[in-house]
Amino acid sequence: GIDRRESIRSQRKLTKRTQSDKLGIEVYSVDAGDTADEVVQNILNSNPQDIEYVEVDPVAEPAFIPNDTSYPSQWDKTIQGLPAAWDLTTGSASVIVAVADSGVDCNHVDLSANCVAGWNFYDNNADASDVLGHGTTVAGVIGAIGNNGLNTAGSAWNVKIMPLRISDPTGIAYGSTVAQAITYAADRGVKVVNNSYTLASKSSAMQSAAQYLFDRGGILVTSAGNYS
């Protein structure tokens, strides 16, 4: 309960940073004299009966994507069988794909018509512009406008893209922030959330958020990463 949580927080000298009412998750900073790993282990050792899970909030960089301008239109389209798929569908404007990443450049000629309003979870405002370029590339792989004689074609070029910025200006993101973005999208009826960071298997908070999305008919897509 709340009283037990407050007791644990006081004993361990934790300072609350954020919380998610949707998932029942709270994020804390540890006392300067402790490490996060030590605090997590001490809580697990002292209060196992009171804890569903407690973890160090994982940090990750975006999964690597080459900066070649033609990259999204090369071998991947054929390997995935997309030319045949495009004979059946090029996506639907009724489908929104949320891109939880470094933001998205919605002024880009290949994305502007497909962008919908998103959110910036780093600055807590509606400006989800890209601070790194990674999120724009990911959004292009997903839904860059196709058959327009410009640049590249996305995998499903008629879907809508919801930009959700979860990173700091250098591209670094926390699992708890991604979890916030997932629940935000789920509450707005989004059925697909993409996060091209290698965080999902490291974060119970993200797994809880993925279940929250799944329970509302959606799916979370994450990257496999670049580490073999």
Side-chain angles (χ1 to χ4, degrees), residues 91-116:
S92 168
S94 66
V95 176
I96 297 175
V97 179
V99 179
D101 213 289
S102 61
V104 174
D105 177 8
C106 284
N107 293 317
H108 192 289
V109 65
D110 251 358
L111 292 170
S112 59
N114 283 349
C115 275
V116 299

Side-chain angles (χ1 to χ4, degrees), residues 63-120:
F64 175 75
I65 290 178
N67 61 12
D68 306 76
T69 57
S70 62
Y71 173 76
S73 65
Q74 292 174 344
W75 53 266
D76 60 312
K77 299 294 186 285
T78 300
I79 293 293
Q80 294 173 58
L82 285 177
W86 288 334
D87 287 340
L88 301 175
T89 181
T90 54
S92 168
S94 66
V95 176
I96 297 175
V97 179
V99 179
D101 213 289
S102 61
V104 174
D105 177 8
C106 284
N107 293 317
H108 192 289
V109 65
D110 251 358
L111 292 170
S112 59
N114 283 349
C115 275
V116 299
W119 193 253
N120 178 338

Side-chain angles (χ1 to χ4, degrees), residues 18-20 22-27 52-58 174-183 199-213 220:
T18 62
Q19 71 179 49
S20 168
K22 301 289 184 181
L23 302 176
I25 294 169
E26 294 183 351
V27 182
E52 181 176 348
Y53 64 79
V54 57
E55 63 185 2
V56 178
D57 199 4
Y174 287 93
S176 59
T177 309
V178 184
Q180 280 184 283
I182 294 167
T183 57
L199 277 172
S201 63
K202 304 175 184 177
S203 172
S204 296
M206 273 190 68
Q207 291 177 22
S208 295
Q211 186 64 52
Y212 184 90
L213 175 65
L220 172 66

Side-chain angles (χ1 to χ4, degrees), residues 59-63 100-103 122 130-135 165-174 178 195-197 199:
V59 182
E61 298 177 357
D101 213 289
S102 61
Y122 182 77
D130 199 345
V131 292
L132 193 68
H134 186 270
R165 181 182 157 195
I166 47 93
S167 78
D168 70 9
T170 69
I172 299 296
Y174 287 93
V178 184
N195 176 235
S196 292
Y197 282 61
L199 277 172

Side-chain angles (χ1 to χ4, degrees), residues 6-17:
E6 291 292 333
S7 175
I8 294 172
R9 185 168 67 188
S10 176
Q11 289 171 11
R12 306 298 171 189
K13 299 179 182 178
L14 303 176
T15 303
K16 185 188 289 188
R17 284 174 29 217

